[in-house]
Amino acid sequence: RLRRILFATTAVLAAGGACAAVALRAGEPSVRAGFGDLPAGAIPVLRLLALGLVPIFASVPAGYLFTAIGQQRDGMVFSFVQAVVTVALLLVFTPRAGAMGTAGALVAAQAVMAVLAVVWLDVRHLARLAR
């Protein structure tokens, strides 16, 4: 069971990396095709958000992993912590850096939660399942 969970998590993370690569390569032309010319400041924001797909694909499946191992309560707490971290980072970075700050805050929140998910799941649950 643990191997299947870890395999699925690895596959989702690999898909996130692939999506980020595609978004970095094709995102700008696709957005330009759909919406026309973009303000100069939009391109770095789009690139940052595209890179953010990697931590998003790492942290979002954690909620499903909590359910898969029967720890829905921890999953709910994890989701609450994720919301608090995201709002806190948005409140700090958006006023200071505008759209780039918002994008950075969203990516940073997902990166923090990806690390927290690994630690939380491993320390509290996956290590126990491996025994």
Side-chain angles (χ1 to χ4, degrees):
R1 179 177 176 192
L2 179 61
R3 285 187 187 140
R4 288 190 302 253
I5 290 170
L6 294 176
F7 176 78
T9 303
T10 303
V12 168
L13 187 55
C19 287
V22 169
L24 283 169
R25 187 77 173 138
E28 182 182 338
S30 298
V31 171
R32 285 186 191 276
F35 298 102
D37 288 333
L38 298 170
I43 303 305
V45 172
L46 288 173
R47 288 190 178 129
L48 181 56
L49 289 172
L51 287 174
L53 289 171
V54 175
I56 287 170
F57 273 68
S59 68
V60 170
Y64 300 115
L65 286 174
F66 284 116
T67 301
I69 61 174
Q71 299 297 322
Q72 292 86 342
R73 182 169 191 199
D74 274 5
M76 287 180 8
V77 173
F78 180 83
S79 294
F80 177 76
V81 170
Q82 188 168 20
V84 170
V85 167
T86 302
V87 168
L89 290 174
L90 286 168
L91 289 173
V92 169
F93 291 110
T94 299
R96 293 183 179 159
M100 192 65 163
T102 300
L106 293 173
V107 172
Q110 292 300 323
V112 166
M113 294 313 295
V115 171
L116 182 58
V118 170
V119 171
W120 194 330
L121 284 163
D122 186 50
V123 169
R124 296 202 52 175
H125 304 296
L126 297 180
R128 187 188 70 223
L129 286 174
R131 291 183 205 141

